[in-house]
């Protein structure tokens, strides 16, 4: 499936949020959960410096899951500036969110982070995680990788 104009609008917003995350001293990641009608259900930045499981996607999914049932979230989209890792893909699946749109692939992220101990990247595409599930999760990405790289420039390997 092809990305929609709404997908690009929310990717622009999540890319700006990732830069804000970096500017506030966190890892440069952000995510949003958006209902099918375009209503933002939740948005979050990365907070893994204090909790290694507090990835932006997990933070946004926790908020969304507290407000809506999996049935309601089935029509929602998770937007992320980077491909959800295995943990975040699992969280997406268990929350019931039915669609994921991301800007930068895990492989491209690994090129930026390398062996930085702050981000020991898992080489497990989100599509592989979702394919192991019993219900479909639509995935669109990577999109706009060059833009997604900006928030990561000179961040890793300090």
């Amino acid at each position: 499936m092809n990305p929609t104009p709404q997908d690009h609008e929310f990717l622009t917003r999540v890319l700006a949020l990732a830069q804000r995350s970096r500017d506030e001293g966190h890892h440069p990641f952000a995510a949003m959960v958006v209902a099918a009608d375009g209503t933002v259900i939740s948005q979050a930045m990365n907070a893994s410096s204090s909790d290694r499981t507090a990835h932006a996607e997990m933070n946004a999914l926790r908020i969304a899951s507290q407000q809506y049932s999996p049935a309601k979230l089935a029509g929602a989209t998770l937007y992320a500036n980077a491909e959800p890792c295995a943990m975040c893909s699992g969280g997406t699946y268990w929350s019931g969110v039915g669609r994921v749109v991301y800007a930068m692939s895990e492989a491209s992220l690994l090129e930026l982070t390398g062996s930085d101990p702050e981000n020991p990247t898992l080489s497990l595409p989100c599509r592989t995680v979702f394919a192991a599930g019993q219900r479909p999760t639509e995935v669109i990405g990577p999109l706009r990788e060059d833009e997604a790289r900006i928030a990561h420039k000179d961040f890793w390997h300090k």
Side-chain angles (χ1 to χ4, degrees):
M1 184 148 211
N2 293 324
T4 67
Q6 178 174 297
D7 292 335
H8 285 289
E9 173 191 337
F10 286 111
L11 274 182
T12 297
R13 291 172 65 175
V14 87
L15 290 170
L17 192 59
Q19 183 63 53
R20 182 175 146 208
S21 182
R22 179 187 175 151
D23 293 346
E24 291 183 11
H26 304 290
H27 291 175
F29 297 103
M32 302 175 81
V33 178
V34 179
D37 68 1
T39 302
V40 175
I41 295 172
S42 63
Q43 66 179 22
M45 297 181 293
N46 191 287
S48 65
S49 58
S50 59
D51 173 355
R52 301 295 287 170
T53 65
H55 290 190
E57 297 92 335
M58 293 299 291
N59 294 337
L61 291 164
R62 282 185 192 106
I63 294 165
S65 294
Q66 290 168 355
Q67 297 176 30
Y68 296 99
S69 69
K72 171 77 173 181
L73 292 174
T77 300
L78 172 73
Y79 291 94
N81 68 308
E83 181 174 1
C85 71
M87 176 182 67
C88 295
S89 296
T92 302
Y93 178 80
W94 287 110
S95 73
V97 170
R99 189 167 179 267
V100 173
V101 177
Y102 66 88
M104 181 172 43
S105 71
E106 188 78 13
S108 292
L109 179 61
L110 179 58
E111 289 175 14
L112 297 172
T113 63
S115 61
D116 192 308
E118 287 291 311
N119 194 41
T121 303
L122 288 168
S123 182
L124 183 61
C126 68
R127 285 176 173 87
T128 302
V129 175
F130 295 133
Q134 294 180 344
R135 67 177 174 286
T137 302
E138 179 184 350
V139 179
I140 298 177
L143 303 171
R144 300 167 60 174
E145 287 197 281
D146 289 341
E147 288 176 75
R149 289 174 177 266
I150 293 170
H152 294 268
K153 184 173 176 17
D154 300 324
F155 182 84
W156 305 102
H157 308 290
K158 293 178 186 172

